[in-house]
Amino acid sequence: MQFSGATALYRLLAINVLLFLAITIVRTFFFLGGADTEILNWFIGKLSLPASLPHLVFQPWSLISYMFLHTDFLHILFNLLVFYWSGRLFTEYLGKDKIWATYVLGDLCGA
């Protein structure tokens, strides 16, 4: 209910945080269970953006999934702090409806 009434900025922040928490919880269970983390690393590799174009052809979903993937606490902390501050300025001056397109286009250009 909170998510449906939130602005686009808060929705994007929530998606990033929830996916980070999901990866962290799965990583914790793998560690506590003594399981091999190679499977988890393979899965994260499939969500990450490959560096070479031939590899990108075989995992095109990574163009979208990499923009929500954070594996370290400091990585997500600083990314989301900067995104929150700049997103507040962006929505104040340019409007709330353009933040989704700017987020996706900015990440695609960064890819």
Side-chain angles (χ1 to χ4, degrees), residues 21-59:
L21 288 175
I23 290 172
T24 303
I25 289 170
V26 169
R27 181 181 286 155
T28 303
F29 281 126
F30 269 67
F31 176 75
L32 292 176
D36 188 16
T37 58
E38 192 172 314
I39 297 168
L40 182 62
N41 291 336
W42 175 84
F43 181 70
I44 290 173
K46 290 298 178 185
L47 295 176
S48 300
L49 187 69
S52 67
L53 194 56
H55 288 100
L56 180 62
V57 171
F58 293 107
Q59 58 186 66

